[in-house]
Amino acid sequence: MNLRAYGRFVVVFRQFLPLILAYLRDRRRYFLFGGRREVTGEMRRERARVLLDSLLTLGPTFIKLGQLLSTRPDVLPPEYVAEFSKLQDEVPPAEWAEAEPVIEEELGPVNEVFSAFDTDAISGASLGQVYRAELEGEPVAVKVRRPEIESLIEADLQVIKWSLPVLMRFIGEARSFSLETLAEEFDKTIHEEIDYDREARMLQEIRENFAGDGTIRIPNVIDSHSTVRVLTMEYVPGTKITAIDELDRMGIDRTGLAERLERVYLQMIVDDGVFHADPHPGNLAVEPDGTLVFYDFGMSGRVDDYVQDKIVAFYIGIANQDIDAILDALVEMGTLSPTADRETMGNVMELAIQDISGEEVDQYRVQEVVGQVEDTIYEFPLRLPANLALVLRVATVVEGVCVTLDRNFDFISVATDYLVEEGYREEGIKQFLESRGEEFTDLAEATVRTPPKLERALDGLNRGSLSVHADLDDTDDLFESLANRLVFGLLLTAGVLSVAILYAFATPFATAAAVVFSVAMALLLYRSFRSRRRLQATPEFTRQSLRQRREQEAESMSEADATTGTEAMGDAEDDTGGVTPIEVEREGED
């Protein structure tokens, strides 16, 4: 048992205690009795800021957890997602005296292994730090795992596992599913990210997939000087991809660069099945000739053939604006519950496609859909299986970077062109025609089989032997609520009659007891009518709100560029999060 975990549990609990108490106050105004407290958007934003400070205080593991949560709108309300997207994995590097033993344990004395070594880190992050060195006269970048990080991660993961069952008691079924997958994904991801041997293998595999593409550059790994805790790569400087002014001075076509970036990730996910999963601006750079440079493959993933096919089907559905195909793909990927209201979800998808395509959205139409669905990203029925969480992260962050490069960038159009060029759309049409042909065949067979069955049913009806069995799915507990009201009403009636009879024929004490009983039943009956929970939300699907958010993020990125300079190698592990295409606001949170 990791004894450090017990101490960390106390520290974590102390940090989160104010928010836990606030959440309990929301559910019960005075903890033990009283109604729910209405939670406003401003209250949630303030709590998100407090929680963000707590994550920063708790250190590396929780910083990484916050970054992961910033891409999970199915787990957190939009105010928290927006706040966590500001979380950057940029912390002061450990002292050289602490980092040097790690290199010596893995490779040997630094002065003997490298011809030169700059002991001032060019990048510091929660899990590792990067140094610049020389190897046989060639510049290299040396990534070193942060000292003593392994025991801290194990302790914090144990704390998270202990806390999970408690959290599950306060959330709904859909969010429980998402929270479980998040915990599994986080455990796997953070262990993979500190395994530099795995990072080297993933980097080399992706590098080989783009070996013939001169517009893409991925640093080569120096195997002789790389281990599970130290990773040595060629040093490739470049201009940060969001340094807009510098890119313009270099004469870079930013629209073309954004298109190339999206196509690279489409190839990784749809064709190759292995992808760089952390495409934030600190990990993307541009060389003077326009070559796109990728850094930091610690967060990378694989996509199996089945998921690849469904992602293609999803994009083809968007390209064709085929809502049924989109919903079918989401259901088959496990992202959308099969029991979801397809009409409502279809309306949401129509607005989302309209918004992403840059079309004007009818405000009346928005209000109409708001009346049908309430913050569907955060609430049931959307959820994220673990194997799709990294894909979502890539999609949202890449879209954000592309829009930063070109505010009018059409993400869907580029994806459609790619699918057409690669032949996926034609294959999708072929499969559609084949499936329609199968449906026509089944319909013809059913036409032949149905009349005899119908005749037998009518004969049974004439003989009085026809019976119908029905199963009612009371997912909202309506029958239980009606039964409770009926019982409380009968007991209240009996109580009132008892009060009248006892008042006339019995002692005052017995009458008082009957009065107390009647009042209790009246309160329970009243509460049964007042306890219905109703969510209210105002999803902001309009392009105007999306542009405003992107302009704000572009301004913040420009300010960051002004202070960090134009060389991107030092930002190899700087996390900024992505832009979520749909902003939603949730009122009346439980």
Side-chain angles (χ1 to χ4, degrees), residues 440-463:
F440 181 78
T441 303
D442 293 341
L443 178 62
E445 293 176 356
T447 303
V448 175
R449 294 194 301 265
T450 299
K453 294 181 180 180
L454 180 60
E455 184 177 359
R456 287 195 296 271
L458 292 174
D459 289 341
L461 182 62
N462 287 331
R463 293 193 300 269

mmCIF file with all atom_site columns, all heavy atoms in Angstrom, residues 440-463:
data_model
loop_
_atom_site.group_PDB
_atom_site.id
_atom_site.type_symbol
_atom_site.label_atom_id
_atom_site.label_alt_id
_atom_site.label_comp_id
_atom_site.label_asym_id
_atom_site.label_entity_id
_atom_site.label_seq_id
_atom_site.pdbx_PDB_ins_code
_atom_site.Cartn_x
_atom_site.Cartn_y
_atom_site.Cartn_z
_atom_site.occupancy
_atom_site.B_iso_or_equiv
_atom_site.pdbx_formal_charge
_atom_site.auth_seq_id
_atom_site.auth_comp_id
_atom_site.auth_asym_id
_atom_site.auth_atom_id
_atom_site.pdbx_PDB_model_num
ATOM 1   N N   . PHE A 1 440 ? -34.841 -3.002  -49.572 1.00 0.00 ? 440 PHE A N   1
ATOM 2   C CA  . PHE A 1 440 ? -35.902 -3.225  -50.558 1.00 0.00 ? 440 PHE A CA  1
ATOM 3   C C   . PHE A 1 440 ? -36.217 -4.716  -50.661 1.00 0.00 ? 440 PHE A C   1
ATOM 4   O O   . PHE A 1 440 ? -37.393 -5.117  -50.740 1.00 0.00 ? 440 PHE A O   1
ATOM 5   C CB  . PHE A 1 440 ? -35.458 -2.691  -51.922 1.00 0.00 ? 440 PHE A CB  1
ATOM 6   C CG  . PHE A 1 440 ? -36.484 -2.862  -53.000 1.00 0.00 ? 440 PHE A CG  1
ATOM 7   C CD1 . PHE A 1 440 ? -37.575 -2.001  -53.093 1.00 0.00 ? 440 PHE A CD1 1
ATOM 8   C CD2 . PHE A 1 440 ? -36.386 -3.896  -53.924 1.00 0.00 ? 440 PHE A CD2 1
ATOM 9   C CE1 . PHE A 1 440 ? -38.525 -2.163  -54.084 1.00 0.00 ? 440 PHE A CE1 1
ATOM 10  C CE2 . PHE A 1 440 ? -37.339 -4.061  -54.907 1.00 0.00 ? 440 PHE A CE2 1
ATOM 11  C CZ  . PHE A 1 440 ? -38.412 -3.188  -54.998 1.00 0.00 ? 440 PHE A CZ  1
ATOM 12  N N   . THR A 1 441 ? -35.175 -5.553  -50.623 1.00 0.00 ? 441 THR A N   1
ATOM 13  C CA  . THR A 1 441 ? -35.381 -7.006  -50.669 1.00 0.00 ? 441 THR A CA  1
ATOM 14  C C   . THR A 1 441 ? -36.166 -7.475  -49.452 1.00 0.00 ? 441 THR A C   1
ATOM 15  O O   . THR A 1 441 ? -37.094 -8.281  -49.558 1.00 0.00 ? 441 THR A O   1
ATOM 16  C CB  . THR A 1 441 ? -34.029 -7.737  -50.736 1.00 0.00 ? 441 THR A CB  1
ATOM 17  O OG1 . THR A 1 441 ? -33.305 -7.281  -51.878 1.00 0.00 ? 441 THR A OG1 1
ATOM 18  C CG2 . THR A 1 441 ? -34.228 -9.239  -50.813 1.00 0.00 ? 441 THR A CG2 1
ATOM 19  N N   . ASP A 1 442 ? -35.777 -6.963  -48.274 1.00 0.00 ? 442 ASP A N   1
ATOM 20  C CA  . ASP A 1 442 ? -36.490 -7.339  -47.048 1.00 0.00 ? 442 ASP A CA  1
ATOM 21  C C   . ASP A 1 442 ? -37.947 -6.890  -47.107 1.00 0.00 ? 442 ASP A C   1
ATOM 22  O O   . ASP A 1 442 ? -38.849 -7.594  -46.642 1.00 0.00 ? 442 ASP A O   1
ATOM 23  C CB  . ASP A 1 442 ? -35.808 -6.710  -45.836 1.00 0.00 ? 442 ASP A CB  1
ATOM 24  C CG  . ASP A 1 442 ? -34.425 -7.293  -45.585 1.00 0.00 ? 442 ASP A CG  1
ATOM 25  O OD1 . ASP A 1 442 ? -34.154 -8.395  -46.093 1.00 0.00 ? 442 ASP A OD1 1
ATOM 26  O OD2 . ASP A 1 442 ? -33.620 -6.618  -44.899 1.00 0.00 ? 442 ASP A OD2 1
ATOM 27  N N   . LEU A 1 443 ? -38.174 -5.697  -47.699 1.00 0.00 ? 443 LEU A N   1
ATOM 28  C CA  . LEU A 1 443 ? -39.544 -5.200  -47.817 1.00 0.00 ? 443 LEU A CA  1
ATOM 29  C C   . LEU A 1 443 ? -40.376 -6.090  -48.721 1.00 0.00 ? 443 LEU A C   1
ATOM 30  O O   . LEU A 1 443 ? -41.543 -6.383  -48.428 1.00 0.00 ? 443 LEU A O   1
ATOM 31  C CB  . LEU A 1 443 ? -39.518 -3.768  -48.358 1.00 0.00 ? 443 LEU A CB  1
ATOM 32  C CG  . LEU A 1 443 ? -40.886 -3.108  -48.599 1.00 0.00 ? 443 LEU A CG  1
ATOM 33  C CD1 . LEU A 1 443 ? -41.648 -2.999  -47.276 1.00 0.00 ? 443 LEU A CD1 1
ATOM 34  C CD2 . LEU A 1 443 ? -40.713 -1.730  -49.221 1.00 0.00 ? 443 LEU A CD2 1
ATOM 35  N N   . ALA A 1 444 ? -39.765 -6.546  -49.823 1.00 0.00 ? 444 ALA A N   1
ATOM 36  C CA  . ALA A 1 444 ? -40.496 -7.431  -50.733 1.00 0.00 ? 444 ALA A CA  1
ATOM 37  C C   . ALA A 1 444 ? -40.857 -8.742  -50.051 1.00 0.00 ? 444 ALA A C   1
ATOM 38  O O   . ALA A 1 444 ? -41.974 -9.258  -50.195 1.00 0.00 ? 444 ALA A O   1
ATOM 39  C CB  . ALA A 1 444 ? -39.646 -7.691  -51.985 1.00 0.00 ? 444 ALA A CB  1
ATOM 40  N N   . GLU A 1 445 ? -39.904 -9.299  -49.284 1.00 0.00 ? 445 GLU A N   1
ATOM 41  C CA  . GLU A 1 445 ? -40.185 -10.544 -48.561 1.00 0.00 ? 445 GLU A CA  1
ATOM 42  C C   . GLU A 1 445 ? -41.273 -10.325 -47.508 1.00 0.00 ? 445 GLU A C   1
ATOM 43  O O   . GLU A 1 445 ? -42.144 -11.176 -47.315 1.00 0.00 ? 445 GLU A O   1
ATOM 44  C CB  . GLU A 1 445 ? -38.898 -11.049 -47.907 1.00 0.00 ? 445 GLU A CB  1
ATOM 45  C CG  . GLU A 1 445 ? -37.837 -11.489 -48.912 1.00 0.00 ? 445 GLU A CG  1
ATOM 46  C CD  . GLU A 1 445 ? -36.544 -11.901 -48.227 1.00 0.00 ? 445 GLU A CD  1
ATOM 47  O OE1 . GLU A 1 445 ? -36.472 -11.763 -46.983 1.00 0.00 ? 445 GLU A OE1 1
ATOM 48  O OE2 . GLU A 1 445 ? -35.616 -12.357 -48.911 1.00 0.00 ? 445 GLU A OE2 1
ATOM 49  N N   . ALA A 1 446 ? -41.210 -9.178  -46.809 1.00 0.00 ? 446 ALA A N   1
ATOM 50  C CA  . ALA A 1 446 ? -42.218 -8.892  -45.792 1.00 0.00 ? 446 ALA A CA  1
ATOM 51  C C   . ALA A 1 446 ? -43.604 -8.753  -46.410 1.00 0.00 ? 446 ALA A C   1
ATOM 52  O O   . ALA A 1 446 ? -44.609 -9.134  -45.805 1.00 0.00 ? 446 ALA A O   1
ATOM 53  C CB  . ALA A 1 446 ? -41.847 -7.623  -45.036 1.00 0.00 ? 446 ALA A CB  1
ATOM 54  N N   . THR A 1 447 ? -43.654 -8.185  -47.637 1.00 0.00 ? 447 THR A N   1
ATOM 55  C CA  . THR A 1 447 ? -44.939 -8.017  -48.327 1.00 0.00 ? 447 THR A CA  1
ATOM 56  C C   . THR A 1 447 ? -45.593 -9.366  -48.574 1.00 0.00 ? 447 THR A C   1
ATOM 57  O O   . THR A 1 447 ? -46.826 -9.507  -48.504 1.00 0.00 ? 447 THR A O   1
ATOM 58  C CB  . THR A 1 447 ? -44.720 -7.282  -49.665 1.00 0.00 ? 447 THR A CB  1
ATOM 59  O OG1 . THR A 1 447 ? -44.083 -6.027  -49.403 1.00 0.00 ? 447 THR A OG1 1
ATOM 60  C CG2 . THR A 1 447 ? -46.038 -7.055  -50.373 1.00 0.00 ? 447 THR A CG2 1
ATOM 61  N N   . VAL A 1 448 ? -44.772 -10.399 -48.833 1.00 0.00 ? 448 VAL A N   1
ATOM 62  C CA  . VAL A 1 448 ? -45.306 -11.735 -49.070 1.00 0.00 ? 448 VAL A CA  1
ATOM 63  C C   . VAL A 1 448 ? -45.715 -12.403 -47.760 1.00 0.00 ? 448 VAL A C   1
ATOM 64  O O   . VAL A 1 448 ? -46.741 -13.099 -47.688 1.00 0.00 ? 448 VAL A O   1
ATOM 65  C CB  . VAL A 1 448 ? -44.252 -12.599 -49.816 1.00 0.00 ? 448 VAL A CB  1
ATOM 66  C CG1 . VAL A 1 448 ? -44.757 -14.035 -49.972 1.00 0.00 ? 448 VAL A CG1 1
ATOM 67  C CG2 . VAL A 1 448 ? -43.940 -11.984 -51.175 1.00 0.00 ? 448 VAL A CG2 1
ATOM 68  N N   . ARG A 1 449 ? -44.916 -12.172 -46.691 1.00 0.00 ? 449 ARG A N   1
ATOM 69  C CA  . ARG A 1 449 ? -45.179 -12.870 -45.427 1.00 0.00 ? 449 ARG A CA  1
ATOM 70  C C   . ARG A 1 449 ? -46.292 -12.227 -44.597 1.00 0.00 ? 449 ARG A C   1
ATOM 71  O O   . ARG A 1 449 ? -46.922 -12.887 -43.783 1.00 0.00 ? 449 ARG A O   1
ATOM 72  C CB  . ARG A 1 449 ? -43.896 -12.910 -44.584 1.00 0.00 ? 449 ARG A CB  1
ATOM 73  C CG  . ARG A 1 449 ? -42.784 -13.746 -45.172 1.00 0.00 ? 449 ARG A CG  1
ATOM 74  C CD  . ARG A 1 449 ? -41.719 -13.996 -44.109 1.00 0.00 ? 449 ARG A CD  1
ATOM 75  N NE  . ARG A 1 449 ? -41.160 -12.752 -43.615 1.00 0.00 ? 449 ARG A NE  1
ATOM 76  C CZ  . ARG A 1 449 ? -40.051 -12.202 -44.075 1.00 0.00 ? 449 ARG A CZ  1
ATOM 77  N NH1 . ARG A 1 449 ? -39.401 -12.783 -45.068 1.00 0.00 ? 449 ARG A NH1 1
ATOM 78  N NH2 . ARG A 1 449 ? -39.600 -11.068 -43.569 1.00 0.00 ? 449 ARG A NH2 1
ATOM 79  N N   . THR A 1 450 ? -46.538 -10.932 -44.778 1.00 0.00 ? 450 THR A N   1
ATOM 80  C CA  . THR A 1 450 ? -47.454 -10.212 -43.883 1.00 0.00 ? 450 THR A CA  1
ATOM 81  C C   . THR A 1 450 ? -48.917 -10.634 -44.005 1.00 0.00 ? 450 THR A C   1
ATOM 82  O O   . THR A 1 450 ? -49.592 -10.836 -42.977 1.00 0.00 ? 450 THR A O   1
ATOM 83  C CB  . THR A 1 450 ? -47.327 -8.697  -44.115 1.00 0.00 ? 450 THR A CB  1
ATOM 84  O OG1 . THR A 1 450 ? -45.990 -8.294  -43.826 1.00 0.00 ? 450 THR A OG1 1
ATOM 85  C CG2 . THR A 1 450 ? -48.291 -7.927  -43.233 1.00 0.00 ? 450 THR A CG2 1
ATOM 86  N N   . PRO A 1 451 ? -49.512 -10.790 -45.231 1.00 0.00 ? 451 PRO A N   1
ATOM 87  C CA  . PRO A 1 451 ? -50.952 -11.116 -45.320 1.00 0.00 ? 451 PRO A CA  1
ATOM 88  C C   . PRO A 1 451 ? -51.361 -12.361 -44.533 1.00 0.00 ? 451 PRO A C   1
ATOM 89  O O   . PRO A 1 451 ? -52.381 -12.318 -43.814 1.00 0.00 ? 451 PRO A O   1
ATOM 90  C CB  . PRO A 1 451 ? -51.182 -11.291 -46.831 1.00 0.00 ? 451 PRO A CB  1
ATOM 91  C CG  . PRO A 1 451 ? -50.142 -10.400 -47.446 1.00 0.00 ? 451 PRO A CG  1
ATOM 92  C CD  . PRO A 1 451 ? -48.946 -10.540 -46.567 1.00 0.00 ? 451 PRO A CD  1
ATOM 93  N N   . PRO A 1 452 ? -50.634 -13.498 -44.614 1.00 0.00 ? 452 PRO A N   1
ATOM 94  C CA  . PRO A 1 452 ? -51.066 -14.656 -43.811 1.00 0.00 ? 452 PRO A CA  1
ATOM 95  C C   . PRO A 1 452 ? -51.051 -14.365 -42.312 1.00 0.00 ? 452 PRO A C   1
ATOM 96  O O   . PRO A 1 452 ? -51.944 -14.797 -41.573 1.00 0.00 ? 452 PRO A O   1
ATOM 97  C CB  . PRO A 1 452 ? -50.046 -15.745 -44.192 1.00 0.00 ? 452 PRO A CB  1
ATOM 98  C CG  . PRO A 1 452 ? -49.514 -15.327 -45.515 1.00 0.00 ? 452 PRO A CG  1
ATOM 99  C CD  . PRO A 1 452 ? -49.492 -13.835 -45.492 1.00 0.00 ? 452 PRO A CD  1
ATOM 100 N N   . LYS A 1 453 ? -50.012 -13.640 -41.827 1.00 0.00 ? 453 LYS A N   1
ATOM 101 C CA  . LYS A 1 453 ? -49.937 -13.308 -40.401 1.00 0.00 ? 453 LYS A CA  1
ATOM 102 C C   . LYS A 1 453 ? -51.093 -12.401 -39.995 1.00 0.00 ? 453 LYS A C   1
ATOM 103 O O   . LYS A 1 453 ? -51.680 -12.551 -38.912 1.00 0.00 ? 453 LYS A O   1
ATOM 104 C CB  . LYS A 1 453 ? -48.608 -12.630 -40.081 1.00 0.00 ? 453 LYS A CB  1
ATOM 105 C CG  . LYS A 1 453 ? -47.401 -13.541 -40.250 1.00 0.00 ? 453 LYS A CG  1
ATOM 106 C CD  . LYS A 1 453 ? -46.111 -12.804 -39.899 1.00 0.00 ? 453 LYS A CD  1
ATOM 107 C CE  . LYS A 1 453 ? -44.903 -13.722 -40.059 1.00 0.00 ? 453 LYS A CE  1
ATOM 108 N NZ  . LYS A 1 453 ? -43.636 -13.024 -39.729 1.00 0.00 ? 453 LYS A NZ  1
ATOM 109 N N   . LEU A 1 454 ? -51.436 -11.455 -40.870 1.00 0.00 ? 454 LEU A N   1
ATOM 110 C CA  . LEU A 1 454 ? -52.537 -10.542 -40.582 1.00 0.00 ? 454 LEU A CA  1
ATOM 111 C C   . LEU A 1 454 ? -53.858 -11.300 -40.516 1.00 0.00 ? 454 LEU A C   1
ATOM 112 O O   . LEU A 1 454 ? -54.712 -11.037 -39.653 1.00 0.00 ? 454 LEU A O   1
ATOM 113 C CB  . LEU A 1 454 ? -52.597 -9.447  -41.649 1.00 0.00 ? 454 LEU A CB  1
ATOM 114 C CG  . LEU A 1 454 ? -53.702 -8.410  -41.490 1.00 0.00 ? 454 LEU A CG  1
ATOM 115 C CD1 . LEU A 1 454 ? -53.556 -7.666  -40.165 1.00 0.00 ? 454 LEU A CD1 1
ATOM 116 C CD2 . LEU A 1 454 ? -53.670 -7.419  -42.662 1.00 0.00 ? 454 LEU A CD2 1
ATOM 117 N N   . GLU A 1 455 ? -54.018 -12.276 -41.407 1.00 0.00 ? 455 GLU A N   1
ATOM 118 C CA  . GLU A 1 455 ? -55.254 -13.058 -41.415 1.00 0.00 ? 455 GLU A CA  1
ATOM 119 C C   . GLU A 1 455 ? -55.389 -13.863 -40.126 1.00 0.00 ? 455 GLU A C   1
ATOM 120 O O   . GLU A 1 455 ? -56.468 -13.941 -39.525 1.00 0.00 ? 455 GLU A O   1
ATOM 121 C CB  . GLU A 1 455 ? -55.264 -13.995 -42.616 1.00 0.00 ? 455 GLU A CB  1
ATOM 122 C CG  . GLU A 1 455 ? -56.567 -14.777 -42.765 1.00 0.00 ? 455 GLU A CG  1
ATOM 123 C CD  . GLU A 1 455 ? -56.574 -15.643 -44.016 1.00 0.00 ? 455 GLU A CD  1
ATOM 124 O OE1 . GLU A 1 455 ? -55.565 -15.613 -44.763 1.00 0.00 ? 455 GLU A OE1 1
ATOM 125 O OE2 . GLU A 1 455 ? -57.570 -16.349 -44.233 1.00 0.00 ? 455 GLU A OE2 1
ATOM 126 N N   . ARG A 1 456 ? -54.278 -14.463 -39.649 1.00 0.00 ? 456 ARG A N   1
ATOM 127 C CA  . ARG A 1 456 ? -54.322 -15.231 -38.401 1.00 0.00 ? 456 ARG A CA  1
ATOM 128 C C   . ARG A 1 456 ? -54.663 -14.321 -37.214 1.00 0.00 ? 456 ARG A C   1
ATOM 129 O O   . ARG A 1 456 ? -55.402 -14.711 -36.304 1.00 0.00 ? 456 ARG A O   1
ATOM 130 C CB  . ARG A 1 456 ? -52.971 -15.916 -38.162 1.00 0.00 ? 456 ARG A CB  1
ATOM 131 C CG  . ARG A 1 456 ? -52.721 -17.097 -39.100 1.00 0.00 ? 456 ARG A CG  1
ATOM 132 C CD  . ARG A 1 456 ? -51.574 -17.959 -38.584 1.00 0.00 ? 456 ARG A CD  1
ATOM 133 N NE  . ARG A 1 456 ? -50.308 -17.234 -38.572 1.00 0.00 ? 456 ARG A NE  1
ATOM 134 C CZ  . ARG A 1 456 ? -49.460 -17.192 -39.591 1.00 0.00 ? 456 ARG A CZ  1
ATOM 135 N NH1 . ARG A 1 456 ? -49.756 -17.830 -40.729 1.00 0.00 ? 456 ARG A NH1 1
ATOM 136 N NH2 . ARG A 1 456 ? -48.331 -16.520 -39.498 1.00 0.00 ? 456 ARG A NH2 1
ATOM 137 N N   . ALA A 1 457 ? -54.126 -13.086 -37.230 1.00 0.00 ? 457 ALA A N   1
ATOM 138 C CA  . ALA A 1 457 ? -54.425 -12.145 -36.140 1.00 0.00 ? 457 ALA A CA  1
ATOM 139 C C   . ALA A 1 457 ? -55.898 -11.770 -36.129 1.00 0.00 ? 457 ALA A C   1
ATOM 140 O O   . ALA A 1 457 ? -56.535 -11.692 -35.062 1.00 0.00 ? 457 ALA A O   1
ATOM 141 C CB  . ALA A 1 457 ? -53.562 -10.898 -36.277 1.00 0.00 ? 457 ALA A CB  1
ATOM 142 N N   . LEU A 1 458 ? -56.484 -11.549 -37.309 1.00 0.00 ? 458 LEU A N   1
ATOM 143 C CA  . LEU A 1 458 ? -57.905 -11.203 -37.389 1.00 0.00 ? 458 LEU A CA  1
ATOM 144 C C   . LEU A 1 458 ? -58.792 -12.372 -36.956 1.00 0.00 ? 458 LEU A C   1
ATOM 145 O O   . LEU A 1 458 ? -59.833 -12.177 -36.307 1.00 0.00 ? 458 LEU A O   1
ATOM 146 C CB  . LEU A 1 458 ? -58.254 -10.774 -38.819 1.00 0.00 ? 458 LEU A CB  1
ATOM 147 C CG  . LEU A 1 458 ? -57.626 -9.454  -39.285 1.00 0.00 ? 458 LEU A CG  1
ATOM 148 C CD1 . LEU A 1 458 ? -57.931 -9.206  -40.767 1.00 0.00 ? 458 LEU A CD1 1
ATOM 149 C CD2 . LEU A 1 458 ? -58.145 -8.291  -38.435 1.00 0.00 ? 458 LEU A CD2 1
ATOM 150 N N   . ASP A 1 459 ? -58.374 -13.601 -37.302 1.00 0.00 ? 459 ASP A N   1
ATOM 151 C CA  . ASP A 1 459 ? -59.141 -14.771 -36.854 1.00 0.00 ? 459 ASP A CA  1
ATOM 152 C C   . ASP A 1 459 ? -59.142 -14.860 -35.335 1.00 0.00 ? 459 ASP A C   1
ATOM 153 O O   . ASP A 1 459 ? -60.165 -15.156 -34.702 1.00 0.00 ? 459 ASP A O   1
ATOM 154 C CB  . ASP A 1 459 ? -58.540 -16.057 -37.453 1.00 0.00 ? 459 ASP A CB  1
ATOM 155 C CG  . ASP A 1 459 ? -58.800 -16.151 -38.952 1.00 0.00 ? 459 ASP A CG  1
ATOM 156 O OD1 . ASP A 1 459 ? -59.709 -15.449 -39.438 1.00 0.00 ? 459 ASP A OD1 1
ATOM 157 O OD2 . ASP A 1 459 ? -58.071 -16.906 -39.634 1.00 0.00 ? 459 ASP A OD2 1
ATOM 158 N N   . GLY A 1 460 ? -57.976 -14.609 -34.738 1.00 0.00 ? 460 GLY A N   1
ATOM 159 C CA  . GLY A 1 460 ? -57.896 -14.630 -33.275 1.00 0.00 ? 460 GLY A CA  1
ATOM 160 C C   . GLY A 1 460 ? -58.765 -13.564 -32.647 1.00 0.00 ? 460 GLY A C   1
ATOM 161 O O   . GLY A 1 460 ? -59.375 -13.769 -31.586 1.00 0.00 ? 460 GLY A O   1
ATOM 162 N N   . LEU A 1 461 ? -58.841 -12.398 -33.282 1.00 0.00 ? 461 LEU A N   1
ATOM 163 C CA  . LEU A 1 461 ? -59.675 -11.315 -32.775 1.00 0.00 ? 461 LEU A CA  1
ATOM 164 C C   . LEU A 1 461 ? -61.137 -11.692 -32.826 1.00 0.00 ? 461 LEU A C   1
ATOM 165 O O   . LEU A 1 461 ? -61.915 -11.433 -31.888 1.00 0.00 ? 461 LEU A O   1
ATOM 166 C CB  . LEU A 1 461 ? -59.419 -10.042 -33.588 1.00 0.00 ? 461 LEU A CB  1
ATOM 167 C CG  . LEU A 1 461 ? -60.175 -8.788  -33.162 1.00 0.00 ? 461 LEU A CG  1
ATOM 168 C CD1 . LEU A 1 461 ? -59.776 -8.391  -31.741 1.00 0.00 ? 461 LEU A CD1 1
ATOM 169 C CD2 . LEU A 1 461 ? -59.896 -7.642  -34.132 1.00 0.00 ? 461 LEU A CD2 1
ATOM 170 N N   . ASN A 1 462 ? -61.555 -12.361 -33.908 1.00 0.00 ? 462 ASN A N   1
ATOM 171 C CA  . ASN A 1 462 ? -62.951 -12.790 -34.038 1.00 0.00 ? 462 ASN A CA  1
ATOM 172 C C   . ASN A 1 462 ? -63.309 -13.829 -32.981 1.00 0.00 ? 462 ASN A C   1
ATOM 173 O O   . ASN A 1 462 ? -64.423 -13.850 -32.444 1.00 0.00 ? 462 ASN A O   1
ATOM 174 C CB  . ASN A 1 462 ? -63.197 -13.371 -35.434 1.00 0.00 ? 462 ASN A CB  1
ATOM 175 C CG  . ASN A 1 462 ? -63.230 -12.279 -36.503 1.00 0.00 ? 462 ASN A CG  1
ATOM 176 O OD1 . ASN A 1 462 ? -63.599 -11.140 -36.209 1.00 0.00 ? 462 ASN A OD1 1
ATOM 177 N ND2 . ASN A 1 462 ? -62.851 -12.630 -37.728 1.00 0.00 ? 462 ASN A ND2 1
ATOM 178 N N   . ARG A 1 463 ? -62.346 -14.733 -32.670 1.00 0.00 ? 463 ARG A N   1
ATOM 179 C CA  . ARG A 1 463 ? -62.617 -15.780 -31.677 1.00 0.00 ? 463 ARG A CA  1
ATOM 180 C C   . ARG A 1 463 ? -62.487 -15.271 -30.246 1.00 0.00 ? 463 ARG A C   1
ATOM 181 O O   . ARG A 1 463 ? -62.796 -15.975 -29.303 1.00 0.00 ? 463 ARG A O   1
ATOM 182 C CB  . ARG A 1 463 ? -61.663 -16.957 -31.887 1.00 0.00 ? 463 ARG A CB  1
ATOM 183 C CG  . ARG A 1 463 ? -61.891 -17.708 -33.199 1.00 0.00 ? 463 ARG A CG  1
ATOM 184 C CD  . ARG A 1 463 ? -61.131 -19.028 -33.192 1.00 0.00 ? 463 ARG A CD  1
ATOM 185 N NE  . ARG A 1 463 ? -59.686 -18.819 -33.039 1.00 0.00 ? 463 ARG A NE  1
ATOM 186 C CZ  . ARG A 1 463 ? -58.840 -18.683 -34.062 1.00 0.00 ? 463 ARG A CZ  1
ATOM 187 N NH1 . ARG A 1 463 ? -59.303 -18.734 -35.312 1.00 0.00 ? 463 ARG A NH1 1
ATOM 188 N NH2 . ARG A 1 463 ? -57.565 -18.488 -33.831 1.00 0.00 ? 463 ARG A NH2 1
#
